[in-house]
Amino acid sequence: MEQAHKTFTYVARDASGARQSGVVSGLDETDATRALRAQGLFPISLDLDDGTTMPGVRSRRPRKGNGQLTPRQTGDFLVRLAKLSSRQIQAERALAIIGDGGQDPISRAAVRVRDSLREGAALSRALEEKAGIDDPVTLSLVKGAEVAGDMGSALSTSADIMQNRLEIRRRIVTGLMYPGILLFVALLSLGLIMIAIIPQFRPLIADRIDLVPMMGRAVFAVSGLLAGLWPFILLGLVLVIGVIIVAARRGALVPILARIGNRIPFIRRLLLRNQMTLLLHVLGALLSREITLSGALRVVSKSTPAGPVQQSMTKVTQEVENGVALSTAMRNEHLLPQDAIEMIRIGEEAGDMGGMISRTSADMREAADRDLERFLLLFQPALIVGVGLLIGVSLYALFSAIVSVNAITF
């Protein structure tokens, strides 16, 4: 029996950028979207008569605690599943291969997802509920592929996006690891000197502290304070390390660091460019998979970390749904450079917004990589110089205090 056609109401733009609305029929949302594009229209929103929207626009609240994979494990899981799916292996069989004989988190998640598929669940729902994958981009791409039938390509795109996120995070963490260790060791050494060594000289000048130079007196004052509070300082350090570990495991550490970085102009620019590069990559991938512009923007907004970029993308989504062109909305929020705005405008006029946005993302990636490398190259020596100055000033103050002690005593 042939599948009955459905009627959809749409809002779209033509090649001149004019906004149009009407009705279109199709077997499903993807078929209706293709029909609109065949007419030279780029769909902004597409709704059934009962008000339901494109797959991927709505997102259920993820269920935590069911063996949720870490971001890195999720990326590896998607890469392995995409490789098998691209070779025309059915999802259920691919999951069985991944989970065969393994006891690691990825294998156990694959078994749970396979069992859910055997019970009749869709792959997107199984990934969300059984593997704990709550990334809106991944779920949207999988839902769209369930309609379009190109699951291997969708999983490959999702895995690529997640790997890009992890690669940027890895480069930043790797670049900051050495100066971070150096700073920690320097502060620990100074703390030990202040707590264990400086107090031994205190009795020699207890009655004549006023004859010690100001910098030396400052050293003795700080030493006395730290020596009296060191149990509390040690406890606070342990608590801070514990909070950092817990936040990292729960995925909250990066958003916290991002909020701190957004207060520093140079780091804010670096974060903005990298976020917009990933954002455009995701947006181009969604639009290329027959997802409407408003639906793709909602998914992108949900997948963007909390902060200024997410707030701006929410405004862009609202403006687009109210009839404003995407290029104009992006320009109003000052999210992209002028050349990127022009590329999006060309995509709007040519009816190939997904392709042009993906090309813009590739161009911005090169600039973002250069900015990141420049930041790491400058930050590492700057931190080393700062630590050296801190140690140098502290040692100078220490030796000046020791010399003063010797002069007073002898």
Side-chain angles (χ1 to χ4, degrees), residues 384-399:
I384 293 173
V385 170
V387 170
L389 289 175
L390 178 63
I391 294 176
V393 171
S394 301
L395 290 178
Y396 173 79
L398 172 61
F399 287 127

Side-chain angles (χ1 to χ4, degrees), residues 40-335:
L41 299 175
F42 189 88
I44 298 174
S45 63
L46 190 66
D47 301 290
L48 280 171
D49 288 338
D50 60 2
T52 58
T53 57
M54 252 327 268
V57 173
R58 295 174 299 176
S59 178
R60 293 188 305 274
R61 187 177 183 86
R63 299 183 181 180
K64 303 290 185 180
N66 270 335
Q68 185 175 25
L69 300 175
T70 65
R72 185 168 299 280
Q73 290 171 344
T74 300
D76 293 341
F77 177 49
L78 292 175
V79 168
R80 293 164 64 179
L81 186 58
K83 288 180 179 179
L84 294 173
S85 298
S86 63
R87 289 170 172 77
Q88 306 303 318
I89 299 177
Q90 295 294 327
E92 185 177 324
R93 177 57 183 160
L95 290 165
I97 294 174
I98 295 174
D100 186 23
Q103 294 299 320
D104 58 286
I106 294 178
S107 298
R108 292 198 299 268
V111 172
R112 293 195 300 270
V113 173
R114 180 203 61 188
D115 293 341
S116 183
L117 291 183
R118 290 178 175 176
E119 295 172 359
L123 179 59
S124 57
R125 179 180 177 184
L127 291 174
E128 183 178 8
E129 297 183 352
K130 302 302 181 181
I133 298 177
D134 55 5
D135 177 43
V137 176
T138 299
L139 297 178
S140 178
L141 289 170
V142 173
K143 289 176 183 177
E146 289 170 346
V147 177
D150 54 348
M151 186 61 70
S153 176
L155 289 171
S156 297
T157 301
S158 177
D160 181 49
I161 291 172
M162 190 159 292
Q163 292 290 346
N164 285 337
R165 293 174 180 168
L166 294 173
E167 176 62 19
I168 291 176
R169 184 182 302 179
R170 184 196 65 80
R171 290 176 60 189
I172 294 176
V173 171
T174 302
L176 297 181
M177 184 174 296
Y178 171 71
I181 294 175
L182 178 63
L183 179 61
F184 176 78
V185 172
L187 293 178
L188 182 62
S189 301
L190 286 174
L192 290 175
I193 292 173
M194 289 290 184
I195 294 173
I197 298 177
I198 300 297
Q200 298 181 17
F201 294 92
R202 182 80 183 185
L204 299 177
I205 59 165
D207 298 331
R208 308 181 68 181
I209 189 67
D210 56 317
L211 298 179
V212 177
M214 181 178 298
M215 188 171 292
R217 282 181 293 185
V219 168
F220 280 107
V222 173
S223 174
L225 179 64
L226 294 179
L229 298 177
W230 74 265
F232 302 99
I233 295 175
L234 181 61
L235 178 61
L237 181 62
V238 172
L239 290 176
V240 169
I241 294 176
V243 169
I244 291 175
I245 294 175
V246 172
R249 289 181 176 178
R250 295 184 177 181
L253 182 59
V254 173
I256 293 174
L257 295 177
R259 292 192 190 99
I260 297 174
N262 280 324
R263 299 179 181 274
I264 305 174
F266 180 78
I267 298 181
R268 180 171 62 246
R269 177 175 176 270
L270 178 68
L271 292 174
L272 175 62
R273 176 159 292 189
N274 278 280
Q275 278 188 290
M276 292 308 301
T277 299
L278 289 174
L279 186 150
L280 290 179
H281 187 186
V282 172
L283 186 59
L286 293 174
L287 293 177
S288 299
R289 311 197 72 77
E290 312 297 342
I291 296 180
T292 60
L293 180 56
S294 63
L297 287 173
R298 293 176 199 170
V299 172
V300 167
S301 297
K302 292 178 181 178
S303 64
T304 304
V309 175
Q310 186 187 62
Q311 296 172 4
S312 296
M313 285 306 303
T314 300
K315 294 179 182 178
V316 168
T317 303
Q318 294 172 350
E319 291 182 20
V320 168
E321 291 178 344
N322 290 332
V324 179
L326 178 61
S327 57
T328 303
M330 287 285 194
R331 183 185 293 113
N332 293 341
E333 294 298 322
H334 307 287
L335 291 173

Side-chain angles (χ1 to χ4, degrees), residues 318-360:
Q318 294 172 350
E319 291 182 20
V320 168
E321 291 178 344
N322 290 332
V324 179
L326 178 61
S327 57
T328 303
M330 287 285 194
R331 183 185 293 113
N332 293 341
E333 294 298 322
H334 307 287
L335 291 173
L336 296 171
Q338 183 59 33
D339 56 342
I341 297 294
E342 292 172 356
M343 293 283 283
I344 295 176
R345 179 67 181 273
I346 293 173
E348 290 174 335
E349 296 179 357
D352 183 26
M353 192 180 298
M356 293 304 294
I357 288 178
S358 297
R359 190 176 306 173
T360 303

Side-chain angles (χ1 to χ4, degrees), residues 359-372:
R359 190 176 306 173
T360 303
S361 173
D363 294 340
M364 288 187 62
R365 184 189 305 277
E366 297 180 3
D369 289 342
R370 289 194 301 268
D371 284 349
L372 181 58

